[in-house]
Amino acid sequence: MGNEARELIAEISRMMKSLSEALERRAEEIQATGGDSELAGKLAKGADAMRDSGNIYLTWARHYVALSEGTSDASDEEDEADFGT
């Protein structure tokens, strides 16, 4: 299970990063074209929220995978996914 689960976690991490980046790009597009600045702000905040919540869920996922492999802690794993901007 460990290898399969780790591959899934890596895939989810990539997808969460892509989602956050897509929201940020769209917010920038809206701002650049003189669109609804309130919407652009919401999308930028949404990108931050997705990044933060993604880190939380991936941390728990790594923890449970580590438990399934017989270790009590996932401290050897990355602390956070690389969703940074």
Side-chain angles (χ1 to χ4, degrees), residues 3-21:
N3 193 39
E4 177 185 6
R6 289 182 191 285
E7 288 175 13
L8 290 168
I9 289 170
E11 184 177 346
I12 292 167
S13 178
R14 287 188 299 272
M15 292 175 141
M16 292 299 294
K17 181 177 181 181
S18 294
L19 174 60
S20 180
E21 291 170 348

Side-chain angles (χ1 to χ4, degrees), residues 3-83:
N3 193 39
E4 177 185 6
R6 289 182 191 285
E7 288 175 13
L8 290 168
I9 289 170
E11 184 177 346
I12 292 167
S13 178
R14 287 188 299 272
M15 292 175 141
M16 292 299 294
K17 181 177 181 181
S18 294
L19 174 60
S20 180
E21 291 170 348
L23 290 172
E24 288 171 343
R25 279 192 305 274
R26 183 62 182 135
E28 290 169 3
E29 288 173 6
I30 291 169
Q31 286 285 55
T33 60
D36 185 347
S37 62
E38 185 177 338
L39 174 59
K42 286 180 182 180
L43 292 177
K45 286 181 183 179
D48 287 340
M50 295 309 302
R51 188 174 18 261
D52 292 344
S53 63
N55 284 328
I56 291 167
Y57 283 107
L58 287 169
T59 297
W60 278 108
R62 288 185 189 105
H63 171 74
Y64 288 118
V65 169
L67 286 176
S68 76
E69 294 172 339
T71 59
S72 61
D73 192 300
S75 61
D76 293 339
E77 299 295 325
E78 299 174 31
D79 289 337
E80 290 189 352
D82 182 18
F83 295 156

